[in-house]
Amino acid sequence: MFKAIVSADTLGDALDSVSVLVDECKIRLEEEGLTIRAVDPANVGMVDLTLDAAAFESYETDGGVIGVNLSRLEEFVGMADAGQLVQLELDEETRKLHVQIEGLEGTLALIDPDSIRQEPDLPDLDLPANVVVEGADIARAVKAADMVSDHIALGVDADEELFYVDAEGDTDDVHLELTREDLIDLTAGDARSLFSLDYLQDMNKAIPSDAEVTMELGEEFPVKLHFDIAEGEGSVTFMLAPRIQSD
Amino acid sequence: MFKAIVSADTLGDALDSVSVLVDECKIRLEEEGLTIRAVDPANVGMVDLTLDAAAFESYETDGGVIGVNLSRLEEFVGMADAGQLVQLELDEETRKLHVQIEGLEGTLALIDPDSIRQEPDLPDLDLPANVVVEGADIARAVKAADMVSDHIALGVDADEELFYVDAEGDTDDVHLELTREDLIDLTAGDARSLFSLDYLQDMNKAIPSDAEVTMELGEEFPVKLHFDIAEGEGSVTFMLAPRIQSD
Amino acid sequence: MFKAIVSADTLGDALDSVSVLVDECKIRLEEEGLTIRAVDPANVGMVDLTLDAAAFESYETDGGVIGVNLSRLEEFVGMADAGQLVQLELDEETRKLHVQIEGLEGTLALIDPDSIRQEPDLPDLDLPANVVVEGADIARAVKAADMVSDHIALGVDADEELFYVDAEGDTDDVHLELTREDLIDLTAGDARSLFSLDYLQDMNKAIPSDAEVTMELGEEFPVKLHFDIAEGEGSVTFMLAPRIQSD
């Protein structure tokens, strides 16, 4: 059993953070709220989403797992105007999801969860550096790097107490530094890893420009990006595997 | 003889309602105003437009029929800024239309009316159900149906006193209901017909979102959509033939 | 040596006026400011740009010439938000240009100036007619001509004291007249020349709609378009060669 009412904006933002990585996913319906974990087909980018029951206007379930086509569900939710509510209800018998928005009723076929890629475990990495930045700064770094390269290095200089971004192209380079003053918070520790820009661009699409994003970084380690959604009643963690640096 | 001055917005809106269906049309120049009737090449969608002489700043004609390429004429009219006036004048000798907008003068070659598809007659159908909705509701129904199907069913449930829209895809469905309260007016009578979504989408493009649209519906009958333009000094009627329902 | 600070808007507007014609150009670094002269590969359109030292927040150079890829430099400058400053600094040794914008540092490889097309001389033509129009009027003329033709005639009727634009298509024509009243200034003299619309469209992209544009015109002669940038602390002159009129 699953029946819930939620603002279309809240649900849409939550789904966006998953759909930037995968087309289909399992949604775990738990008493405390929804959770989604997914990894992209190349095993490079992962997402771990929770949307607490408190983020919903109403939320009832006795547990279960459903498989959804994310772009279909997002399209349905996108029919709502700003501020409108979406009602979701699972039809156990037909394995369909009923989506209701102000007189509009959609029925969405679910996907057999067993046919969907297994959910990843996002390992606890205990990384040495911890940086808290505004979402807008990540957007700026990604845009700048994109001018010159397909890769982006994220690092922390522990001595200088600064977070930096490097992108090196064949002829042109870009370098961005954010000092302790520019950052919301910094736990310095030497860190530098190279990442595929494509993935970070996709993740950036789901990060609100005014979000406080906590980045955990290490030396040639994955980066974790963590931010709240639904006014704190939900959260997203992205994890992105590093590229081997050729030099 | 034909010479008229009209606001670019009024003329543009009027032409749009025809150009969503056909590329060329005949314009009948009558003492009381302009009229255009046209049917698309597949004989599925028809339009009947009148733009009264009162909708013009000035309007003079001794009658006649001209053939126009709609996109060319719309492009010329589109040169006007919001609120600017367009002057139209027929040159009988050269069979060209002079279009004047604030110092800009265009000359548009006309098309031999005999080379244009014959004008259709929009039959009087005396349909059992009559629904008056806002243009925005049609837009919403069309957008919702488009998520799941190429077809859209429009119907009235006389007992429940409601207007409904159904679209059924291979796996997903959409259903929209507007009760008497949601509607501007309703003359209930059982009705349900299936239509090609493409045509309704095209017609919808010409319907202002705040227009009061009168829909006449029957059982497996064409639908008629009627709305005013030019602040009531003109009107558009679309007629759309039904698809045979396969089930 | 070259080191300068300038508002991103000022620099961006200046570069745009050159990049509508060429991909690469030489920038002459002179004590009084920057100058760029360039001609498109077909030798049809030329640009002569000056950006005075006074247009910069700070400006230091001991002279020299650098070659730049315009779209790369524009992309770097485009990283700035409205109102932000861009710092440019030439690294003589590596022949790279350092571009700095609020914590973001880019390094742009320069191009060997000798590998770039030679700079043209914009001849002094002493043309008989001189018209001063708003940039918006040029935009309107170009848009109107584009509806019917690939060419545009610009002319002055000395007797009628008016500036006109003609475009003749296979079936449709466009004619635009601006009288002395519509113009900012007019020095009448008979003039009429035909131009490729493509070039004028490109030049128009770099002309602010509220700019005062001085046009110098003759009989089958090039047209010169002159306007100020950087609030008068810089200027752009376009010169466009005429097409041979076939009739």
Side-chain angles (χ1 to χ4, degrees), chain C residues 154-170:
Chain C
L154 305 178
V156 170
D157 183 325
D159 294 341
E160 302 284 340
E161 298 216 319
L162 56 81
F163 166 67
Y164 66 85
V165 175
D166 266 333
E168 293 181 22
D170 290 336

Side-chain angles (χ1 to χ4, degrees), chain C residues 171-234:
Chain C
T171 58
D172 305 338
D173 305 329
V174 151
H175 182 75
L176 175 68
E177 283 184 5
L178 295 175
T179 62
R180 185 178 282 282
E181 267 179 22
D182 304 319
L183 298 166
I184 298 166
D185 199 13
L186 171 71
T187 307
D190 278 318
R192 179 189 173 90
S193 306
L194 190 70
F195 302 98
S196 158
L197 190 55
D198 272 356
Y199 281 89
L200 206 60
Q201 281 176 318
D202 285 341
M203 291 173 176
N204 176 55
K205 283 177 203 155
I207 301 176
S209 64
D210 61 352
E212 288 196 9
V213 183
T214 303
M215 307 177 70
E216 297 175 47
L217 287 158
E219 294 274 359
E220 310 246 355
F221 255 81
V223 61
K224 276 193 178 181
L225 301 160
H226 179 90
F227 57 98
D228 285 348
I229 55 171
E231 295 177 7
E233 293 172 332

Side-chain angles (χ1 to χ4, degrees), chain C residues 104-131:
Chain C
L104 175 70
E105 204 181 301
T107 308
L108 192 75
L110 295 174
I111 300 171
D112 178 0
D114 293 338
S115 73
I116 295 176
R117 265 176 88 79
Q118 215 187 307
E119 292 155 292
D121 278 312
L122 273 73
D124 229 334
L125 294 171
D126 195 19
L127 296 168
N130 210 300
V131 180

Side-chain angles (χ1 to χ4, degrees), chain A residues 133-150:
Chain A
V133 294
E134 266 191 49
D137 285 323
I138 297 177
R140 190 166 181 242
V142 161
K143 190 180 165 196
D146 189 40
M147 295 192 300
V148 300
S149 181
D150 297 331

Side-chain angles (χ1 to χ4, degrees), chain A residues 84-99:
Chain A
Q84 279 189 328
L85 294 177
V86 179
Q87 181 182 315
L88 303 171
E89 186 168 3
L90 175 64
D91 184 328
E92 304 267 8
E93 232 160 279
T94 60
R95 297 306 294 172
K96 299 213 171 190
L97 188 67
H98 292 286
V99 182

